[in-house]
Amino acid sequence: MNPDRLLENLNQSQHAAVSSVAEQLAILAGPGSGKTHTLTSRTAWLLTQGLQPWNIIVATFTVKAAREMKERIGRLIGNGLESKIILGTFHSIARRYLARYGNLIGIPKGFGIADNSDSLAIIKRICKANNFNIEPKVAQSRISGKKARGGTPIEQQKNKSGAKSVELQEFERCYVEYEAVLKVSNLLDYDDLLLRCVDLLRSHPSCVSNVEAVLIDEFQDTNLVQFDLMRLFASQKKRITIVGDPDQSIYSFRAAEIKNYKTLLRQYPDTVTITLEENYRSSAAILNAALGVIEQDDSRVKKRLMATHTVGTRPVLRTLSGAHKEAEWIALEIQRCQGRTGGLMDMDDYAILLRSAQLSRLVETALGKAGIAYRMVGGLRFYDRIEIKTILDYLRVISHSGNNDALARIINTPSRRIGDGTIKSLLEEADRNKATLWSLILNSVQGKQNTTTKLQKPVEQNLSKLVNVILKAKKMVTDPSKRETLTVDVLKFVMEKIDYENWLEIHHGDVTKARWDNVQELITQATEYQTQIVYGFEDESLPMIDGLEQEEDDDPLARFLANVTLASSVKNDDVDGEPKPQVTISTIHAAKGLEWPVVFIPAAYEGSIPHSRAEDEDEERRLLYVAMTRAKALLYMSVPLQNSRCEETTLSPFLSLSSIRRLLETRGPSLGSSTVLDISRIVRRSCPTAKSIDESSSFLRSTEDDIFSEDGIDRFDSRWKLESDAGDPRRDGERAPKRQKVDLERSQSDVVQVSDQNWKTPCATTMDRAQSFTAPSTALGKGFVSVGTHFDVLNEQSINATLGNSIESSVTVSQKPLAKAKSKLPEDQPTIAGFFGKKGQQSSQCSKITTTQIRSRPQASGLPSIGASNRPRTSTANNRSHVIPSELASHRVGPSQIKARPKVMPTEEVQTHRRSEYVAFSSSPPRPPTRHNEQEAVLQPPEQPIASNTKPELMSCIRPAASFHKTTLTTVQNAMATKKTYGIKRNMNGWKGRSNASKEFKPPLRKN
């Protein structure tokens, strides 16, 4: 292998890191800088320098990363040497050493591994048996944290007297009993794998005396135990290479120590640090914004990031009114990006990264309504599905019968008529006897021991069948002639004995065979793993060391189960075919190490990021930095003004600085041709054609991010329409709202000013003015006038008639029609007030209509006008004039009401060159006058107010018009001349137009 070939495709920094001769090398690799490529090249380069692959340890944090590195090394060096490298996760490497040398520290051969569900089940039983108040999950987390810190005791909680708190005492007892159960069952949990391996290498360092180089990936995520493991692995040669980025240290909840880098420099002062600064993932605009966030931390290790891509479009910081609008905006923006890029991207190219999983509810709802498929990262793992976990539990009991919880889960699966109470009683009896559940059942079935738990005869028979299946499978495991097909054969044997396919169909409704297909996938996986063992691709052997005896680890079933237990990858592929493109919804923690062309980061407010319960603000800043650097071409961040609980929010302090805000846009990019071209270059795909973009854009609601206001403030409620929205192209095609809110307190003198301006109501909603509403006003619908209102109108006419003689000299309106009506009415004609039994002033004379009731501005009497039913003008006892608000003057008489009363229209003796305006509904636009040279007239007000006993509080009963517009009196005269109204076909000649106009009018009399 030519070492020079390994260095051909490396930049200057990577070249220096790969070929460094330093014994201790620290490679600080920023996001997207090619750290995996550098680490694998470094491993291959060490092999070219004469190191043997079995003397090199490469530790990663995920199974996926380990497999990817092994494949890359294989392509670089070939000859199958990659399978000889001790490469894997920290836990898998530790298990490998404990399987070979665990007996040196008292770990029996064939130990099992308790996964998270097993350890939680054990803790639950302990807490319940001892009536502990501590929450099992909290206890599990504290136990794991204690072990991750090397088993050091947690800070003791003491009361005022110095004694331990009850909670601490319960935790310590729970911890002791938990360890005892693991020991009896010959189980190690995840943390024990690391702790016991540290114990092994400290007491027997010769176990790693052959190791010549140790390489650690994602060094910033190591905890104290893993740091000790690294030092112990490299204790012989002290040749260490670490790759990491302190700016991406975000796992303190897993006990990760960001200080490990400084500890490394202190313990190994000759360490050479090389920084990888060239970024091959994100655009320059995204990197500039991300650096602006992370550089706020003054304590960080200083380093830069240089983009290799074009500048690209600036990241977006979008403000929305609320969390629901934010989720809707994300769905719309995904659709807009899809439409405006013409098939350049699919749904797999979008990711929504959340600070906490609880934020996903609204986002999932919005995506579902929009018909956008999505996947949840960190959801139910393939191995956690019930049909898979049941089969794996059978294999665990066959391989390691001391696993009480696995046996308890399968003891009645399929049904053997053994109740939960019986299983619980057997578990408790086994714990009391310090024995395993398997040994208790086996001795009971074989007649060697009687259980205190009473077992019915059918139960004993069914338990005997289960024991026979387990024992026969155990014999298959020890058969040396079936080593090559052992795991698959055991799987098929168990499924046949328990009739698993039929049981899935009956008890889990697996009529579509979806669960059975998952089981078949497990068989396929077991077959592939067995083949890899046979051909040496899964070689877990360790080199022989003089003076040390290794135990054989030749149980392929145990190795398969160990790899399944330690696997952290999620299998999300559809069993029916190719996986479908889906938007990814993930927490930021789970997204580390991944990348997408388009990334959304919602809820960028204080309390979310930084989280309200976070103790380290610097880590929260690093978390946002990690999320931002997952994006390749487009980065969207958003902040709702109100969260999902309708609480006011404040922008995250990490994004509030002016130096950051100037690097961000306030709305989504236009996604024009230049932007699409930049995206295609960044993602290294062919740029779509203009035709394909036009076709994909045709279904979009809008081609711009303009559906929501830029500042997040809703300009209007969907139930109302303001004048400012008139002519807004974004509302084209929408049904106009029915009404407009008006201010009932605006004076009459403001009518002209209101008409000339885009007036907006100061009230957010109609009910903000609730105190101005009366009971009658809430009951009346638009277009209706109450009987009381008609009574007040006619009552005022009677009053005006008595005052008519005193003001006749100032009146210019002809009274001939009224005189004619007066002559026809008898003197004893009762009034309307008398008919309805109301007390009021009655007059034997007909009311006289004065110019006071016909005004250019709507202060006239209750006589119907064109398209309006005006309320009477009233005055108080001290003759103070009450003016009807202009908004109320436009109240239209509905078609279901009585016909219009007789009207007296103004004569030709009107003043000219003055405009007379009135208010009408917006649905009736003003008609232009037919005669442009016609003089406009206005009636003069009376010299003194007219008294009235009409109740002024009744003015609020008339509901306001929707909006205002102006016309002149000339228009009114033209309309009357043509006998037309605005929208309602009605005779405007009053009583003259009726067929019985010649008859004498006689209103109905009140019956006594």
Side-chain angles (χ1 to χ4, degrees), residues 157 173 180 202 224 250 266 308 423 457 493 717-718 868 952 962:
Q157 304 171 3
R173 287 184 56 191
R202 280 177 177 170
L224 295 178
I250 60 175
R266 185 172 60 253
T308 59
I423 298 174
K457 192 67 174 179
F493 170 78
D717 192 309
S718 61

Side-chain angles (χ1 to χ4, degrees), residues 908-919:
E908 294 79 12
E909 302 175 7
V910 295
Q911 299 180 9
T912 60
H913 307 297
R914 294 186 61 185
R915 296 186 61 84
S916 176
E917 301 173 353
Y918 75 99
V919 179

Side-chain angles (χ1 to χ4, degrees), residues 1 12 46 52 170 207 292 307 482 488 507 666 735 914:
M1 181 174 54
Q12 185 176 358
L46 290 175
Q52 299 301 321
E170 289 183 352
C207 295
K482 296 183 178 181
V488 178
H507 293 274
T666 56
R735 187 175 64 179
R914 294 186 61 185

